[in-house]
Structure formats: structure tokens, C-alpha cells
Amino acid sequence: MTVETINPATGKVEYRHELMTAAQVDATLAAAQQAFPAWAALSLAERGKVLRAVGVELRRRREDIQRIMTAEMGKLRKEALAEVDKCAGACDYYADHAADYLHDQPVSTDGQRSYVRYEPIGCVLAVMPWNFPIWQVFRFLAPALMAGNVAVLKHASNVPRCADAIAEVLAAAGLPAGVFGVLHIDNEQAAEVIRDARVAAVTLTGSERAGRSVAANAGSQLKKSVMELGGSDAFIVLDDADLDKTVAGAVASRFGNAGQTCIAAKRFIVQEGIADEFVKRFVEAAAKLRLGDPQDDATTLAPMARQDLRDELHKQVQASVAKGAKVLLGGEPDASHAGYPASILDAVAPGMPAYEEELFGPVASILRVKDDAEAVRVANDTTFGLGGSVWTRDVDRGDRIARQLQVGAAFVNAIVRSDVRLPFGGTKRSGFGRELAEHGIHEFMNIKSVYIA
């Protein structure tokens, strides 16, 4: 089967490739199985040497990789370069700090000696999305490789060359053959791979629908899985917020990556005392964003990754307006192939898609509340639980509210972001399990208790 990728900025076919045959999939899994024992047997220092070399190679190829990212999913050049740099930093971090997370941990018992030991489990299948086509992979891969696991990647169908670029970087850095493999396969083939005995675990970043399917399949095989799914993060603006910093954060969080970020601020919950001024400044700042060629540094808003995604977003906007939401900015597709302008909806209320659903694109929803208690109630009035932020001059007040948010990550006076030093993941229908830091690196390990009498 031939798969085409379309440049979202031009609408032109960018690349064609064939899906892998069953024999090619089998060969990739066999190579991973064969490579695992030797890779797991290496010391942390030896694996760390390879990871540092990966970081060097990423930085060396950053311009080439960003061009591929931009062509395949429309990311702004500066955003793509920053993404590559973040991946390189993650490689350095886990090369330097994996030992802090993986050393034997002594436990006091009535035995002569007891400790907890962390051991790799084998091959991890990663089912990854297109919105951060390099970072999403390295977010799981750098810790997994340092833990001694091997991995195979089933990337989103519209970013095949990003997957291949990652494989090329790893090979050039000296990663042994078989330790990482790319599977150009469809969803039915991926389901078969999950059931393959050579796959020990599965990690997925994607939609709730995809998460339900993959998690059910993995569960039926009694395989560990980590699910990082959708989000509708609250951005809570308290009545004492510093509006200069808050508006800048609002624009960056909602409209970065064309709004196609799971942890982007999507619901702006603003206290009445400051709402009018915040909304005025927010609209003014967002109106300055300009769609255009993602390779042009003057462009400040990327196109959406695919035309069908743009059209689905617009349907959500239209349905919200039909139920009473007011368009303050944007609200109509751009004339380009997959562009959607920065858009802001006011008077958003329960029952509207802008309130109930994830708007995975550059559309912000304004929800006005009276006080702290109502802000918390509205923030938690969602099936999602990925992240949320609170903006206030009183950090103790912000901390009190952050503690009440039903999310995997709560930030005060900063936009929600992934950080190699902090565990990342969600609660409720935003998924389960963690990536990054100590909690993430342990997800795909056998946590073994050893007791010596």
C-alpha cells in the first residue's frame, strides 16, 4: 500500500512510501529481540556514551531535521529547531542522570540485606503522534534506552521521514543494530505487533480513541502500557495576575505549534474582576500572529498539520457559536491549504464543543468565573486531566489552587510544558502512567525486590 504525505503549507504531495510487508515487520522485531541481551548487558556508562553521541548527531543535523518536520506537519522553523535541541538535551540529561534513578535502592528489613533492583524488560513498541514528531519519540526513547530496553517505533502516517531521520541519527551515533527499529505500518498491522510475543510493552501518545484501542489490546496480552492522551488544560487567571506576563503566556501556550499540543492551554478561566482587561489584551496580542510559510521567520502561526484536522476544528467552532459562543477573533479558515487563524471564543458554556471537547488547533475558549472556588470547579469540570496553570501575583494562593486541580501537571505563573526532570502524564481520560524523570524511566522496568536472609 502506498502512503502519501502532503505538505500542509502548500497542499502538494511531499513524499510517497510503501507500508512494510509482514516479512519486513518480522525482521524488525527479530532484530530487536536479538539486540536486547547485549544492549541490556552494557553498563550505564557505556549506554550513556551512545546517548551523548546521539545528542551530538541531533545538533549536527538540526537544520535537515527541521526541514523534514516543517514539510511533513507544518511546524514553524524556529519551533522545529527548538524541538531538535530539546531532544538533544534529553539525551544528555539521561546519559548524565540515569544512574540516579536506576541504582539499587537498599531497604531496611529483618534480613541481612534487602534492596530494590531495576531491570529492563525488553522491546517497547512506541505508537507516536505527528504534532511533536521528534520530541514525542525521544521523550520515551532516551529514558528507555538508558534503562537497557530496545524499541520499535510506529510513527504517525504523515511523518514517515521524521521516523526515518530518527533512525538515521541513532545509527550514525553508534547505536547497535536492532536496538531501535522503525515500522512503517498501518493500525491493523500495529495491532498485530502489540500481540507479538517479542513486544514486552507499549507506549502511546495520541487521542482518547487510539488510547482505548491500544490499551485494550495490550491489556488482553497482559502487557504494560503507558497512555498519554488528549487534554483540555485550564489557564486560570486570578484577579491579581500580572497581565503582561499572563497574556504573553496565554499566547505562547494556546497558539504555539498552531495550537496542536496536548498540554496547550485551551480553556481560559478568568475571574470577573480582571476578565475584560485580560480578554482585550489577549485579543490584541493574538491578532498580531500571522499565518504564512513556516520556513519564513516572519511567520508566527503555523498551518495545521492536515486539512481534515483544520476542517474538524472549524466544525467545533461553528457548533459552539450556534450554541451561543461569541467570536472575538478569527473563527474562519484561512485561504491556504490547512491554515486556521488565531481565534478566540467568548461566552463559552457547558454543552458547547469549546467547553466539553478538546480543540486541537489555534482556538481559545474564554470562561468567566466569580472567585477562586468557581475557578477550581470549572477547571475540574472536564473528562480530561493532563495539565493546568494558575496566574497570580500571590504564589501561595496559586499553589493552593494548583493543589486542587485534577491534573498530572499544575504550573503556577508558567505555561505547562514537559521537562526531563519532572514526570509527565495525565489522569482521568488523559491517560495513565508517566514518562520522564524517575517515575517515567521505571515504567518499563522490572522492579525487583531482593531479600537476603
Side-chain angles (χ1 to χ4, degrees):
M1 177 180 174
T2 302
V3 179
E4 294 183 342
T5 59
I6 297 175
N7 187 316
T10 65
K12 297 180 179 179
V13 174
E14 191 72 32
Y15 183 70
R16 293 182 177 91
H17 72 283
E18 298 293 325
L19 293 182
M20 295 172 70
T21 64
Q24 290 172 317
V25 173
D26 181 74
T28 302
L29 294 177
Q33 183 182 42
Q34 184 175 357
F36 171 60
W39 179 252
L42 293 178
S43 67
L44 283 171
E46 290 170 314
R47 293 199 290 266
K49 183 178 180 181
V50 176
L51 261 289
R52 290 188 189 90
V54 173
V56 170
E57 194 67 21
L58 282 166
R59 294 183 179 99
R60 189 178 73 81
R61 301 184 184 213
R62 64 196 294 268
E63 287 286 354
D64 292 337
I65 295 171
Q66 74 81 15
R67 279 191 286 271
I68 295 171
M69 296 167 72
T70 299
E72 291 196 323
M73 57 76 56
K75 195 179 295 283
L76 296 182
R77 177 179 180 276
K78 60 184 177 182
E79 292 179 337
L81 290 172
E83 182 171 334
V84 177
D85 292 343
K86 186 172 185 177
C87 294
C91 291
D92 294 344
Y93 178 84
Y94 286 100
D96 293 341
H97 294 280
D100 299 337
Y101 304 136
L102 301 179
H103 62 81
D104 292 350
Q105 295 188 0
V107 179
S108 178
T109 68
D110 57 357
Q112 180 183 8
R113 185 157 62 99
S114 302
Y115 59 92
V116 176
R117 173 174 168 79
Y118 300 98
E119 298 175 343
I121 60 174
C123 180
V124 180
L125 168 65
V127 182
M128 292 288 109
W130 48 261
N131 58 331
F132 288 90
I134 307 297
W135 170 241
Q136 298 279 183
V137 176
F138 275 93
R139 196 172 72 191
F140 104 87
L141 187 62
L145 291 181
M146 282 305 299
N149 291 308
V150 299
V152 291
L153 168 66
K154 188 275 184 213
H155 219 325
S157 61
N158 59 327
V159 289
R161 288 192 294 162
C162 286
D164 291 340
I166 293 169
E168 291 167 5
V169 164
L170 294 170
L175 189 74
V179 175
F180 176 81
V182 171
L183 297 173
H184 292 298
I185 56 178
D186 61 21
N187 291 339
E188 289 185 6
Q189 291 173 296
E192 293 177 5
V193 172
I194 293 171
R195 292 189 288 269
D196 193 291
R198 291 168 292 189
V199 170
V202 185
T203 182
L204 174 139
T205 298
S207 68
E208 181 182 336
R209 179 181 178 182
R212 287 178 181 275
S213 175
V214 170
N217 192 0
S220 74
Q221 304 301 310
L222 299 179
K223 294 181 181 180
K224 180 71 177 290
S225 63
V226 168
M227 298 288 124
E228 195 270 278
L229 309 178
S232 187
D233 288 11
F235 186 104
I236 300 174
V237 184
L238 301 185
D239 52 16
D240 65 344
D242 179 334
L243 284 184
D244 289 339
K245 294 180 179 178
T246 302
V247 170
V251 172
S253 184
R254 176 63 288 205
F255 301 113
N257 206 42
Q260 301 167 127
T261 306
C262 295
I263 51 173
K266 299 184 175 84
R267 297 174 300 134
F268 292 80
I269 300 169
V270 191
Q271 291 189 342
E272 291 176 350
I274 203 170
D276 288 344
E277 184 63 19
F278 168 79
V279 170
K280 175 178 174 291
R281 294 200 196 185
F282 188 28
V283 170
E284 290 174 350
K288 296 177 182 177
L289 297 174
R290 291 290 178 265
L291 281 160
D293 179 0
Q295 288 288 359
D296 185 346
D297 286 338
T299 299
T300 51
L301 181 65
M304 293 185 65
R306 299 197 312 263
Q307 194 173 66
D308 63 304
L309 298 172
R310 189 270 308 274
D311 294 344
E312 180 59 33
L313 176 71
H314 187 52
K315 288 179 182 178
Q316 291 174 298
V317 170
Q318 289 178 310
S320 298
V321 171
K323 293 187 175 184
K326 298 178 180 179
V327 178
L328 302 183
L329 182 69
E332 290 291 338
D334 181 76
S336 61
H337 177 73
Y340 204 87
S343 302
I344 298 176
L345 302 180
D346 202 353
V348 172
M352 300 177 184
Y355 187 99
E356 308 286 351
E357 301 172 7
E358 179 179 27
L359 300 189
F360 207 67
V363 180
S365 301
I366 304 295
L367 298 86
R368 300 171 186 246
V369 296
K370 294 180 180 179
D371 53 26
D372 292 13
E374 188 179 7
V376 171
R377 181 189 65 77
V378 173
N380 290 335
D381 186 25
T382 175
T383 60
F384 298 106
L386 197 52
S389 62
V390 186
W391 299 79
T392 173
R393 295 179 190 269
D394 183 343
V395 294
D396 291 332
R397 183 186 181 193
D399 184 39
R400 286 194 300 272
I401 291 179
R403 288 170 178 266
Q404 298 175 68
L405 299 182
Q406 298 166 357
V407 296
F411 283 54
V412 178
N413 293 331
I415 64 174
V416 180
R417 63 187 185 277
S418 54
D419 185 312
V420 293
R421 299 163 295 185
L422 295 170
F424 182 85
T427 187
K428 300 199 281 188
R429 292 188 178 179
S430 287
F432 52 79
R434 291 294 180 267
E435 296 178 306
L436 300 177
E438 181 177 10
H439 298 79
I441 202 169
H442 290 165
E443 286 282 7
F444 296 124
M445 305 200 77
N446 175 28
I447 303 174
K448 179 192 290 185
S449 296
V450 179
Y451 176 97
I452 302 173

